[in-house]
Amino acid sequence: QVQVAESGGGLVQAGGSLRLSCVASGRRSSIDAAGWYRQGPGKQRELVAAISSTGSTFYEDSVRGRFTISRDNAKNTVYLQMNSLKPDDTAVYYCNARQTDRGGGVSDYWGQGTQVTVSS
């Protein structure tokens, strides 16, 4: 079993920055691919950024150029650097860590989320 824990959320003024961390732990804690999702008040959960096992990245249009996803494989950690934050970025941010076994099976693990609040 894999446990995923997010941290780094908080309250910040518009234009500020935060860095979120997602750490995987457990018997097999390496992360193959990962994504950061967010769910704002009254909204559906949406994919914000993702990174593949080879380091390829994806960004949702509204955060491209402001957010950067990265990974440190030695620490089983994925980061989301968020700059130029806007009130619309206010949400609970969730990390999804994906593992792929040798047979091609995929397992997804979710953290509990970390609150990001951006004041205007």
Side-chain angles (χ1 to χ4, degrees):
Q1 189 67 16
V2 175
Q3 292 78 47
V4 174
E6 305 98 335
S7 62
L11 173 63
V12 64
Q13 289 188 332
S17 298
L18 286 173
R19 188 176 81 155
L20 306 184
S21 298
C22 169
V23 180
S25 61
R27 193 166 65 89
R28 178 177 171 241
S29 56
S30 61
I31 300 173
D32 296 322
W36 283 97
Y37 292 73
R38 68 184 179 188
Q39 188 165 15
K43 298 180 181 179
Q44 291 188 334
R45 189 175 296 191
E46 63 176 354
L47 176 63
V48 174
I51 188 165
S52 73
S53 58
T54 60
S56 298
T57 56
F58 162 84
Y59 296 97
E60 192 268 331
D61 286 347
S62 69
V63 308
R64 188 176 294 113
R66 300 189 296 123
F67 291 9
T68 302
I69 189 170
S70 61
R71 60 191 300 161
D72 184 334
N73 292 335
K75 297 181 178 179
N76 298 321
T77 301
V78 176
Y79 304 98
L80 185 67
Q81 177 67 43
M82 305 187 295
N83 299 328
S84 303
L85 282 161
K86 304 175 181 179
D88 283 348
D89 295 320
T90 295
V92 178
Y93 283 71
Y94 298 90
C95 176
N96 169 267
R98 173 165 291 183
Q99 292 182 336
T100 304
D101 61 33
R102 294 180 180 181
V106 172
S107 298
D108 284 319
Y109 301 94
W110 292 88
Q112 293 298 309
T114 184
Q115 176 71 47
V116 171
T117 303
V118 184
S119 63
S120 57

PDB file of all heavy atoms in Angstrom, residues 44-83:
ATOM      1  N   GLN A  44     -16.237  21.100  -9.823  1.00  0.00           N
ATOM      2  CA  GLN A  44     -15.756  19.733  -9.941  1.00  0.00           C
ATOM      3  C   GLN A  44     -14.231  19.701  -9.843  1.00  0.00           C
ATOM      4  O   GLN A  44     -13.559  20.696 -10.114  1.00  0.00           O
ATOM      5  CB  GLN A  44     -16.202  19.135 -11.283  1.00  0.00           C
ATOM      6  CG  GLN A  44     -17.694  18.888 -11.374  1.00  0.00           C
ATOM      7  CD  GLN A  44     -18.072  18.117 -12.622  1.00  0.00           C
ATOM      8  OE1 GLN A  44     -17.363  18.168 -13.622  1.00  0.00           O
ATOM      9  NE2 GLN A  44     -19.167  17.390 -12.561  1.00  0.00           N
ATOM     10  N   ARG A  45     -13.724  18.571  -9.468  1.00  0.00           N
ATOM     11  CA  ARG A  45     -12.272  18.412  -9.400  1.00  0.00           C
ATOM     12  C   ARG A  45     -11.710  18.461 -10.813  1.00  0.00           C
ATOM     13  O   ARG A  45     -12.261  17.832 -11.730  1.00  0.00           O
ATOM     14  CB  ARG A  45     -11.906  17.089  -8.732  1.00  0.00           C
ATOM     15  CG  ARG A  45     -10.433  16.932  -8.419  1.00  0.00           C
ATOM     16  CD  ARG A  45     -10.159  15.656  -7.636  1.00  0.00           C
ATOM     17  NE  ARG A  45     -10.797  15.661  -6.322  1.00  0.00           N
ATOM     18  CZ  ARG A  45     -10.543  14.759  -5.381  1.00  0.00           C
ATOM     19  NH1 ARG A  45      -9.664  13.796  -5.604  1.00  0.00           N
ATOM     20  NH2 ARG A  45     -11.172  14.813  -4.218  1.00  0.00           N
ATOM     21  N   GLU A  46     -10.627  19.191 -10.984  1.00  0.00           N
ATOM     22  CA  GLU A  46     -10.028  19.332 -12.305  1.00  0.00           C
ATOM     23  C   GLU A  46      -8.523  19.094 -12.230  1.00  0.00           C
ATOM     24  O   GLU A  46      -7.887  19.376 -11.204  1.00  0.00           O
ATOM     25  CB  GLU A  46     -10.285  20.741 -12.880  1.00  0.00           C
ATOM     26  CG  GLU A  46      -9.674  21.869 -12.080  1.00  0.00           C
ATOM     27  CD  GLU A  46      -9.854  23.235 -12.724  1.00  0.00           C
ATOM     28  OE1 GLU A  46     -10.355  23.316 -13.859  1.00  0.00           O
ATOM     29  OE2 GLU A  46      -9.485  24.244 -12.086  1.00  0.00           O
ATOM     30  N   LEU A  47      -7.978  18.599 -13.324  1.00  0.00           N
ATOM     31  CA  LEU A  47      -6.539  18.386 -13.424  1.00  0.00           C
ATOM     32  C   LEU A  47      -5.856  19.722 -13.702  1.00  0.00           C
ATOM     33  O   LEU A  47      -6.219  20.423 -14.643  1.00  0.00           O
ATOM     34  CB  LEU A  47      -6.225  17.390 -14.538  1.00  0.00           C
ATOM     35  CG  LEU A  47      -4.749  17.134 -14.814  1.00  0.00           C
ATOM     36  CD1 LEU A  47      -4.062  16.513 -13.608  1.00  0.00           C
ATOM     37  CD2 LEU A  47      -4.591  16.236 -16.044  1.00  0.00           C
ATOM     38  N   VAL A  48      -4.872  20.036 -12.890  1.00  0.00           N
ATOM     39  CA  VAL A  48      -4.141  21.292 -13.020  1.00  0.00           C
ATOM     40  C   VAL A  48      -2.822  21.089 -13.740  1.00  0.00           C
ATOM     41  O   VAL A  48      -2.468  21.835 -14.644  1.00  0.00           O
ATOM     42  CB  VAL A  48      -3.894  21.906 -11.625  1.00  0.00           C
ATOM     43  CG1 VAL A  48      -3.009  23.136 -11.729  1.00  0.00           C
ATOM     44  CG2 VAL A  48      -5.208  22.252 -10.958  1.00  0.00           C
ATOM     45  N   ALA A  49      -2.087  20.071 -13.345  1.00  0.00           N
ATOM     46  CA  ALA A  49      -0.777  19.798 -13.931  1.00  0.00           C
ATOM     47  C   ALA A  49      -0.455  18.336 -13.733  1.00  0.00           C
ATOM     48  O   ALA A  49      -0.922  17.710 -12.774  1.00  0.00           O
ATOM     49  CB  ALA A  49       0.309  20.666 -13.292  1.00  0.00           C
ATOM     50  N   ALA A  50       0.347  17.795 -14.627  1.00  0.00           N
ATOM     51  CA  ALA A  50       0.740  16.397 -14.541  1.00  0.00           C
ATOM     52  C   ALA A  50       2.164  16.234 -15.041  1.00  0.00           C
ATOM     53  O   ALA A  50       2.647  17.043 -15.844  1.00  0.00           O
ATOM     54  CB  ALA A  50      -0.206  15.512 -15.337  1.00  0.00           C
ATOM     55  N   ILE A  51       2.798  15.178 -14.551  1.00  0.00           N
ATOM     56  CA  ILE A  51       4.161  14.873 -14.991  1.00  0.00           C
ATOM     57  C   ILE A  51       4.268  13.374 -15.188  1.00  0.00           C
ATOM     58  O   ILE A  51       3.771  12.597 -14.370  1.00  0.00           O
ATOM     59  CB  ILE A  51       5.200  15.407 -13.977  1.00  0.00           C
ATOM     60  CG1 ILE A  51       6.609  15.269 -14.536  1.00  0.00           C
ATOM     61  CG2 ILE A  51       5.065  14.748 -12.613  1.00  0.00           C
ATOM     62  CD1 ILE A  51       7.643  16.081 -13.763  1.00  0.00           C
ATOM     63  N   SER A  52       4.891  12.981 -16.285  1.00  0.00           N
ATOM     64  CA  SER A  52       5.006  11.562 -16.605  1.00  0.00           C
ATOM     65  C   SER A  52       6.289  10.990 -16.000  1.00  0.00           C
ATOM     66  O   SER A  52       7.110  11.709 -15.434  1.00  0.00           O
ATOM     67  CB  SER A  52       5.026  11.375 -18.121  1.00  0.00           C
ATOM     68  OG  SER A  52       6.276  11.807 -18.642  1.00  0.00           O
ATOM     69  N   SER A  53       6.448   9.688 -16.184  1.00  0.00           N
ATOM     70  CA  SER A  53       7.647   9.027 -15.672  1.00  0.00           C
ATOM     71  C   SER A  53       8.910   9.515 -16.371  1.00  0.00           C
ATOM     72  O   SER A  53      10.009   9.423 -15.819  1.00  0.00           O
ATOM     73  CB  SER A  53       7.522   7.511 -15.844  1.00  0.00           C
ATOM     74  OG  SER A  53       7.333   7.192 -17.219  1.00  0.00           O
ATOM     75  N   THR A  54       8.750  10.045 -17.584  1.00  0.00           N
ATOM     76  CA  THR A  54       9.910  10.546 -18.328  1.00  0.00           C
ATOM     77  C   THR A  54      10.125  12.045 -18.133  1.00  0.00           C
ATOM     78  O   THR A  54      11.047  12.606 -18.712  1.00  0.00           O
ATOM     79  CB  THR A  54       9.752  10.261 -19.826  1.00  0.00           C
ATOM     80  OG1 THR A  54       8.564  10.915 -20.292  1.00  0.00           O
ATOM     81  CG2 THR A  54       9.650   8.765 -20.092  1.00  0.00           C
ATOM     82  N   GLY A  55       9.229  12.667 -17.381  1.00  0.00           N
ATOM     83  CA  GLY A  55       9.386  14.098 -17.121  1.00  0.00           C
ATOM     84  C   GLY A  55       8.559  15.001 -18.016  1.00  0.00           C
ATOM     85  O   GLY A  55       8.610  16.232 -17.867  1.00  0.00           O
ATOM     86  N   SER A  56       7.807  14.431 -18.915  1.00  0.00           N
ATOM     87  CA  SER A  56       6.917  15.260 -19.741  1.00  0.00           C
ATOM     88  C   SER A  56       5.842  15.864 -18.856  1.00  0.00           C
ATOM     89  O   SER A  56       5.363  15.230 -17.919  1.00  0.00           O
ATOM     90  CB  SER A  56       6.276  14.406 -20.837  1.00  0.00           C
ATOM     91  OG  SER A  56       7.263  13.887 -21.697  1.00  0.00           O
ATOM     92  N   THR A  57       5.478  17.090 -19.184  1.00  0.00           N
ATOM     93  CA  THR A  57       4.518  17.801 -18.337  1.00  0.00           C
ATOM     94  C   THR A  57       3.299  18.251 -19.124  1.00  0.00           C
ATOM     95  O   THR A  57       3.335  18.417 -20.351  1.00  0.00           O
ATOM     96  CB  THR A  57       5.163  19.030 -17.682  1.00  0.00           C
ATOM     97  OG1 THR A  57       5.697  19.880 -18.711  1.00  0.00           O
ATOM     98  CG2 THR A  57       6.275  18.619 -16.745  1.00  0.00           C
ATOM     99  N   PHE A  58       2.219  18.446 -18.377  1.00  0.00           N
ATOM    100  CA  PHE A  58       0.964  18.970 -18.924  1.00  0.00           C
ATOM    101  C   PHE A  58       0.467  20.035 -17.967  1.00  0.00           C
ATOM    102  O   PHE A  58       0.585  19.888 -16.745  1.00  0.00           O
ATOM    103  CB  PHE A  58      -0.069  17.848 -19.036  1.00  0.00           C
ATOM    104  CG  PHE A  58      -1.475  18.375 -19.162  1.00  0.00           C
ATOM    105  CD1 PHE A  58      -1.975  18.755 -20.395  1.00  0.00           C
ATOM    106  CD2 PHE A  58      -2.285  18.531 -18.041  1.00  0.00           C
ATOM    107  CE1 PHE A  58      -3.255  19.262 -20.511  1.00  0.00           C
ATOM    108  CE2 PHE A  58      -3.564  19.041 -18.148  1.00  0.00           C
ATOM    109  CZ  PHE A  58      -4.054  19.403 -19.388  1.00  0.00           C
ATOM    110  N   TYR A  59      -0.101  21.097 -18.524  1.00  0.00           N
ATOM    111  CA  TYR A  59      -0.694  22.148 -17.704  1.00  0.00           C
ATOM    112  C   TYR A  59      -2.056  22.524 -18.253  1.00  0.00           C
ATOM    113  O   TYR A  59      -2.257  22.625 -19.475  1.00  0.00           O
ATOM    114  CB  TYR A  59       0.191  23.402 -17.689  1.00  0.00           C
ATOM    115  CG  TYR A  59       1.529  23.173 -17.045  1.00  0.00           C
ATOM    116  CD1 TYR A  59       2.648  22.907 -17.813  1.00  0.00           C
ATOM    117  CD2 TYR A  59       1.670  23.210 -15.659  1.00  0.00           C
ATOM    118  CE1 TYR A  59       3.889  22.682 -17.223  1.00  0.00           C
ATOM    119  CE2 TYR A  59       2.898  22.986 -15.059  1.00  0.00           C
ATOM    120  CZ  TYR A  59       4.000  22.714 -15.853  1.00  0.00           C
ATOM    121  OH  TYR A  59       5.213  22.473 -15.262  1.00  0.00           O
ATOM    122  N   GLU A  60      -2.980  22.741 -17.346  1.00  0.00           N
ATOM    123  CA  GLU A  60      -4.278  23.273 -17.711  1.00  0.00           C
ATOM    124  C   GLU A  60      -4.074  24.719 -18.165  1.00  0.00           C
ATOM    125  O   GLU A  60      -3.182  25.424 -17.657  1.00  0.00           O
ATOM    126  CB  GLU A  60      -5.219  23.164 -16.515  1.00  0.00           C
ATOM    127  CG  GLU A  60      -6.664  23.405 -16.819  1.00  0.00           C
ATOM    128  CD  GLU A  60      -7.061  24.837 -16.625  1.00  0.00           C
ATOM    129  OE1 GLU A  60      -6.441  25.516 -15.783  1.00  0.00           O
ATOM    130  OE2 GLU A  60      -7.975  25.305 -17.342  1.00  0.00           O
ATOM    131  N   ASP A  61      -4.883  25.162 -19.097  1.00  0.00           N
ATOM    132  CA  ASP A  61      -4.654  26.467 -19.734  1.00  0.00           C
ATOM    133  C   ASP A  61      -4.545  27.624 -18.738  1.00  0.00           C
ATOM    134  O   ASP A  61      -3.716  28.518 -18.900  1.00  0.00           O
ATOM    135  CB  ASP A  61      -5.771  26.761 -20.733  1.00  0.00           C
ATOM    136  CG  ASP A  61      -5.653  25.945 -22.000  1.00  0.00           C
ATOM    137  OD1 ASP A  61      -4.586  25.340 -22.229  1.00  0.00           O
ATOM    138  OD2 ASP A  61      -6.640  25.896 -22.759  1.00  0.00           O
ATOM    139  N   SER A  62      -5.375  27.610 -17.721  1.00  0.00           N
ATOM    140  CA  SER A  62      -5.423  28.768 -16.825  1.00  0.00           C
ATOM    141  C   SER A  62      -4.188  28.890 -15.927  1.00  0.00           C
ATOM    142  O   SER A  62      -3.963  29.948 -15.327  1.00  0.00           O
ATOM    143  CB  SER A  62      -6.679  28.714 -15.955  1.00  0.00           C
ATOM    144  OG  SER A  62      -6.598  27.653 -15.033  1.00  0.00           O
ATOM    145  N   VAL A  63      -3.391  27.831 -15.837  1.00  0.00           N
ATOM    146  CA  VAL A  63      -2.210  27.899 -14.964  1.00  0.00           C
ATOM    147  C   VAL A  63      -0.911  27.859 -15.740  1.00  0.00           C
ATOM    148  O   VAL A  63       0.158  28.065 -15.163  1.00  0.00           O
ATOM    149  CB  VAL A  63      -2.220  26.745 -13.927  1.00  0.00           C
ATOM    150  CG1 VAL A  63      -3.541  26.702 -13.174  1.00  0.00           C
ATOM    151  CG2 VAL A  63      -1.929  25.397 -14.580  1.00  0.00           C
ATOM    152  N   ARG A  64      -0.995  27.599 -17.042  1.00  0.00           N
ATOM    153  CA  ARG A  64       0.233  27.508 -17.834  1.00  0.00           C
ATOM    154  C   ARG A  64       0.981  28.825 -17.769  1.00  0.00           C
ATOM    155  O   ARG A  64       0.409  29.894 -17.945  1.00  0.00           O
ATOM    156  CB  ARG A  64      -0.092  27.134 -19.278  1.00  0.00           C
ATOM    157  CG  ARG A  64       1.148  26.819 -20.118  1.00  0.00           C
ATOM    158  CD  ARG A  64       0.782  26.346 -21.529  1.00  0.00           C
ATOM    159  NE  ARG A  64       0.091  25.069 -21.482  1.00  0.00           N
ATOM    160  CZ  ARG A  64      -1.183  24.902 -21.825  1.00  0.00           C
ATOM    161  NH1 ARG A  64      -1.894  25.937 -22.234  1.00  0.00           N
ATOM    162  NH2 ARG A  64      -1.739  23.705 -21.763  1.00  0.00           N
ATOM    163  N   GLY A  65       2.279  28.740 -17.506  1.00  0.00           N
ATOM    164  CA  GLY A  65       3.100  29.944 -17.370  1.00  0.00           C
ATOM    165  C   GLY A  65       3.184  30.463 -15.948  1.00  0.00           C
ATOM    166  O   GLY A  65       4.043  31.291 -15.638  1.00  0.00           O
ATOM    167  N   ARG A  66       2.292  29.988 -15.076  1.00  0.00           N
ATOM    168  CA  ARG A  66       2.307  30.417 -13.666  1.00  0.00           C
ATOM    169  C   ARG A  66       2.692  29.273 -12.735  1.00  0.00           C
ATOM    170  O   ARG A  66       3.336  29.501 -11.720  1.00  0.00           O
ATOM    171  CB  ARG A  66       0.935  30.952 -13.260  1.00  0.00           C
ATOM    172  CG  ARG A  66       0.465  32.144 -14.065  1.00  0.00           C
ATOM    173  CD  ARG A  66      -0.795  32.748 -13.469  1.00  0.00           C
ATOM    174  NE  ARG A  66      -1.930  31.823 -13.508  1.00  0.00           N
ATOM    175  CZ  ARG A  66      -2.619  31.436 -12.427  1.00  0.00           C
ATOM    176  NH1 ARG A  66      -2.286  31.892 -11.222  1.00  0.00           N
ATOM    177  NH2 ARG A  66      -3.642  30.611 -12.547  1.00  0.00           N
ATOM    178  N   PHE A  67       2.291  28.056 -13.078  1.00  0.00           N
ATOM    179  CA  PHE A  67       2.559  26.894 -12.244  1.00  0.00           C
ATOM    180  C   PHE A  67       3.625  26.028 -12.908  1.00  0.00           C
ATOM    181  O   PHE A  67       3.691  25.934 -14.130  1.00  0.00           O
ATOM    182  CB  PHE A  67       1.302  26.044 -12.047  1.00  0.00           C
ATOM    183  CG  PHE A  67       0.226  26.668 -11.206  1.00  0.00           C
ATOM    184  CD1 PHE A  67       0.288  27.996 -10.808  1.00  0.00           C
ATOM    185  CD2 PHE A  67      -0.878  25.911 -10.813  1.00  0.00           C
ATOM    186  CE1 PHE A  67      -0.705  28.564 -10.033  1.00  0.00           C
ATOM    187  CE2 PHE A  67      -1.881  26.461 -10.038  1.00  0.00           C
ATOM    188  CZ  PHE A  67      -1.794  27.791  -9.659  1.00  0.00           C
ATOM    189  N   THR A  68       4.429  25.378 -12.083  1.00  0.00           N
ATOM    190  CA  THR A  68       5.436  24.454 -12.577  1.00  0.00           C
ATOM    191  C   THR A  68       5.398  23.173 -11.746  1.00  0.00           C
ATOM    192  O   THR A  68       5.515  23.230 -10.515  1.00  0.00           O
ATOM    193  CB  THR A  68       6.839  25.061 -12.497  1.00  0.00           C
ATOM    194  OG1 THR A  68       6.879  26.288 -13.245  1.00  0.00           O
ATOM    195  CG2 THR A  68       7.870  24.092 -13.081  1.00  0.00           C
ATOM    196  N   ILE A  69       5.240  22.049 -12.429  1.00  0.00           N
ATOM    197  CA  ILE A  69       5.277  20.758 -11.756  1.00  0.00           C
ATOM    198  C   ILE A  69       6.661  20.150 -11.944  1.00  0.00           C
ATOM    199  O   ILE A  69       7.255  20.261 -13.021  1.00  0.00           O
ATOM    200  CB  ILE A  69       4.165  19.815 -12.279  1.00  0.00           C
ATOM    201  CG1 ILE A  69       4.079  18.561 -11.426  1.00  0.00           C
ATOM    202  CG2 ILE A  69       4.362  19.479 -13.744  1.00  0.00           C
ATOM    203  CD1 ILE A  69       2.843  17.700 -11.734  1.00  0.00           C
ATOM    204  N   SER A  70       7.174  19.538 -10.897  1.00  0.00           N
ATOM    205  CA  SER A  70       8.489  18.923 -10.978  1.00  0.00           C
ATOM    206  C   SER A  70       8.518  17.722 -10.046  1.00  0.00           C
ATOM    207  O   SER A  70       7.596  17.520  -9.254  1.00  0.00           O
ATOM    208  CB  SER A  70       9.592  19.921 -10.613  1.00  0.00           C
ATOM    209  OG  SER A  70       9.439  20.384  -9.285  1.00  0.00           O
ATOM    210  N   ARG A  71       9.592  16.941 -10.133  1.00  0.00           N
ATOM    211  CA  ARG A  71       9.680  15.754  -9.306  1.00  0.00           C
ATOM    212  C   ARG A  71      11.105  15.520  -8.848  1.00  0.00           C
ATOM    213  O   ARG A  71      12.059  15.893  -9.529  1.00  0.00           O
ATOM    214  CB  ARG A  71       9.155  14.529 -10.069  1.00  0.00           C
ATOM    215  CG  ARG A  71       9.933  14.238 -11.361  1.00  0.00           C
ATOM    216  CD  ARG A  71       9.206  13.189 -12.187  1.00  0.00           C
ATOM    217  NE  ARG A  71       9.083  11.947 -11.446  1.00  0.00           N
ATOM    218  CZ  ARG A  71       8.208  10.988 -11.736  1.00  0.00           C
ATOM    219  NH1 ARG A  71       7.371  11.152 -12.749  1.00  0.00           N
ATOM    220  NH2 ARG A  71       8.165   9.881 -11.040  1.00  0.00           N
ATOM    221  N   ASP A  72      11.219  14.889  -7.687  1.00  0.00           N
ATOM    222  CA  ASP A  72      12.504  14.454  -7.161  1.00  0.00           C
ATOM    223  C   ASP A  72      12.350  12.966  -6.878  1.00  0.00           C
ATOM    224  O   ASP A  72      11.796  12.576  -5.846  1.00  0.00           O
ATOM    225  CB  ASP A  72      12.865  15.230  -5.895  1.00  0.00           C
ATOM    226  CG  ASP A  72      14.244  14.892  -5.362  1.00  0.00           C
ATOM    227  OD1 ASP A  72      14.736  13.783  -5.622  1.00  0.00           O
ATOM    228  OD2 ASP A  72      14.827  15.728  -4.653  1.00  0.00           O
ATOM    229  N   ASN A  73      12.821  12.138  -7.791  1.00  0.00           N
ATOM    230  CA  ASN A  73      12.612  10.700  -7.668  1.00  0.00           C
ATOM    231  C   ASN A  73      13.315  10.123  -6.431  1.00  0.00           C
ATOM    232  O   ASN A  73      12.815   9.169  -5.826  1.00  0.00           O
ATOM    233  CB  ASN A  73      13.101   9.992  -8.922  1.00  0.00           C
ATOM    234  CG  ASN A  73      12.241  10.306 -10.129  1.00  0.00           C
ATOM    235  OD1 ASN A  73      11.068  10.645 -10.002  1.00  0.00           O
ATOM    236  ND2 ASN A  73      12.822  10.212 -11.311  1.00  0.00           N
ATOM    237  N   ALA A  74      14.427  10.693  -6.067  1.00  0.00           N
ATOM    238  CA  ALA A  74      15.162  10.184  -4.904  1.00  0.00           C
ATOM    239  C   ALA A  74      14.361  10.371  -3.617  1.00  0.00           C
ATOM    240  O   ALA A  74      14.531   9.615  -2.657  1.00  0.00           O
ATOM    241  CB  ALA A  74      16.510  10.883  -4.790  1.00  0.00           C
ATOM    242  N   LYS A  75      13.498  11.374  -3.614  1.00  0.00           N
ATOM    243  CA  LYS A  75      12.684  11.655  -2.433  1.00  0.00           C
ATOM    244  C   LYS A  75      11.235  11.207  -2.596  1.00  0.00           C
ATOM    245  O   LYS A  75      10.411  11.466  -1.716  1.00  0.00           O
ATOM    246  CB  LYS A  75      12.726  13.154  -2.117  1.00  0.00           C
ATOM    247  CG  LYS A  75      14.111  13.683  -1.759  1.00  0.00           C
ATOM    248  CD  LYS A  75      14.066  15.163  -1.437  1.00  0.00           C
ATOM    249  CE  LYS A  75      15.438  15.689  -1.043  1.00  0.00           C
ATOM    250  NZ  LYS A  75      15.410  17.148  -0.748  1.00  0.00           N
ATOM    251  N   ASN A  76      10.922  10.561  -3.721  1.00  0.00           N
ATOM    252  CA  ASN A  76       9.533  10.148  -3.996  1.00  0.00           C
ATOM    253  C   ASN A  76       8.579  11.314  -3.802  1.00  0.00           C
ATOM    254  O   ASN A  76       7.508  11.171  -3.186  1.00  0.00           O
ATOM    255  CB  ASN A  76       9.139   8.974  -3.092  1.00  0.00           C
ATOM    256  CG  ASN A  76       9.986   7.758  -3.338  1.00  0.00           C
ATOM    257  OD1 ASN A  76      10.334   7.439  -4.481  1.00  0.00           O
ATOM    258  ND2 ASN A  76      10.355   7.060  -2.274  1.00  0.00           N
ATOM    259  N   THR A  77       8.963  12.449  -4.329  1.00  0.00           N
ATOM    260  CA  THR A  77       8.223  13.684  -4.104  1.00  0.00           C
ATOM    261  C   THR A  77       7.949  14.392  -5.428  1.00  0.00           C
ATOM    262  O   THR A  77       8.804  14.426  -6.310  1.00  0.00           O
ATOM    263  CB  THR A  77       9.006  14.626  -3.172  1.00  0.00           C
ATOM    264  OG1 THR A  77       9.237  13.957  -1.933  1.00  0.00           O
ATOM    265  CG2 THR A  77       8.232  15.907  -2.904  1.00  0.00           C
ATOM    266  N   VAL A  78       6.749  14.934  -5.513  1.00  0.00           N
ATOM    267  CA  VAL A  78       6.355  15.763  -6.648  1.00  0.00           C
ATOM    268  C   VAL A  78       5.972  17.135  -6.099  1.00  0.00           C
ATOM    269  O   VAL A  78       5.321  17.230  -5.058  1.00  0.00           O
ATOM    270  CB  VAL A  78       5.172  15.142  -7.411  1.00  0.00           C
ATOM    271  CG1 VAL A  78       4.707  16.057  -8.535  1.00  0.00           C
ATOM    272  CG2 VAL A  78       5.569  13.776  -7.964  1.00  0.00           C
ATOM    273  N   TYR A  79       6.387  18.175  -6.799  1.00  0.00           N
ATOM    274  CA  TYR A  79       6.138  19.532  -6.362  1.00  0.00           C
ATOM    275  C   TYR A  79       5.225  20.272  -7.338  1.00  0.00           C
ATOM    276  O   TYR A  79       5.171  19.941  -8.527  1.00  0.00           O
ATOM    277  CB  TYR A  79       7.461  20.317  -6.242  1.00  0.00           C
ATOM    278  CG  TYR A  79       8.475  19.692  -5.340  1.00  0.00           C
ATOM    279  CD1 TYR A  79       9.516  18.899  -5.848  1.00  0.00           C
ATOM    280  CD2 TYR A  79       8.414  19.886  -3.962  1.00  0.00           C
ATOM    281  CE1 TYR A  79      10.450  18.330  -5.013  1.00  0.00           C
ATOM    282  CE2 TYR A  79       9.351  19.317  -3.118  1.00  0.00           C
ATOM    283  CZ  TYR A  79      10.367  18.537  -3.654  1.00  0.00           C
ATOM    284  OH  TYR A  79      11.294  17.963  -2.810  1.00  0.00           O
ATOM    285  N   LEU A  80       4.554  21.276  -6.821  1.00  0.00           N
ATOM    286  CA  LEU A  80       3.821  22.203  -7.670  1.00  0.00           C
ATOM    287  C   LEU A  80       4.172  23.608  -7.194  1.00  0.00           C
ATOM    288  O   LEU A  80       3.735  24.023  -6.126  1.00  0.00           O
ATOM    289  CB  LEU A  80       2.307  21.982  -7.606  1.00  0.00           C
ATOM    290  CG  LEU A  80       1.497  22.850  -8.566  1.00  0.00           C
ATOM    291  CD1 LEU A  80       1.782  22.439 -10.013  1.00  0.00           C
ATOM    292  CD2 LEU A  80       0.005  22.732  -8.278  1.00  0.00           C
ATOM    293  N   GLN A  81       4.990  24.288  -7.985  1.00  0.00           N
ATOM    294  CA  GLN A  81       5.336  25.673  -7.696  1.00  0.00           C
ATOM    295  C   GLN A  81       4.267  26.558  -8.325  1.00  0.00           C
ATOM    296  O   GLN A  81       4.045  26.487  -9.534  1.00  0.00           O
ATOM    297  CB  GLN A  81       6.711  26.023  -8.270  1.00  0.00           C
ATOM    298  CG  GLN A  81       7.126  27.468  -8.071  1.00  0.00           C
ATOM    299  CD  GLN A  81       7.363  27.818  -6.623  1.00  0.00           C
ATOM    300  OE1 GLN A  81       7.976  27.067  -5.873  1.00  0.00           O
ATOM    301  NE2 GLN A  81       6.866  28.980  -6.203  1.00  0.00           N
ATOM    302  N   MET A  82       3.629  27.365  -7.500  1.00  0.00           N
ATOM    303  CA  MET A  82       2.531  28.210  -7.965  1.00  0.00           C
ATOM    304  C   MET A  82       2.919  29.669  -7.767  1.00  0.00           C
ATOM    305  O   MET A  82       3.114  30.121  -6.629  1.00  0.00           O
ATOM    306  CB  MET A  82       1.259  27.882  -7.184  1.00  0.00           C
ATOM    307  CG  MET A  82       0.873  26.418  -7.234  1.00  0.00           C
ATOM    308  SD  MET A  82      -0.735  26.075  -6.473  1.00  0.00           S
ATOM    309  CE  MET A  82      -0.389  26.507  -4.779  1.00  0.00           C
ATOM    310  N   ASN A  83       3.037  30.373  -8.869  1.00  0.00           N
ATOM    311  CA  ASN A  83       3.378  31.797  -8.843  1.00  0.00           C
ATOM    312  C   ASN A  83       2.221  32.633  -9.380  1.00  0.00           C
ATOM    313  O   ASN A  83       1.313  32.101 -10.021  1.00  0.00           O
ATOM    314  CB  ASN A  83       4.626  32.056  -9.680  1.00  0.00           C
ATOM    315  CG  ASN A  83       5.849  31.320  -9.182  1.00  0.00           C
ATOM    316  OD1 ASN A  83       6.003  31.093  -7.976  1.00  0.00           O
ATOM    317  ND2 ASN A  83       6.720  30.924 -10.087  1.00  0.00           N
TER     318      ASN A  83
END
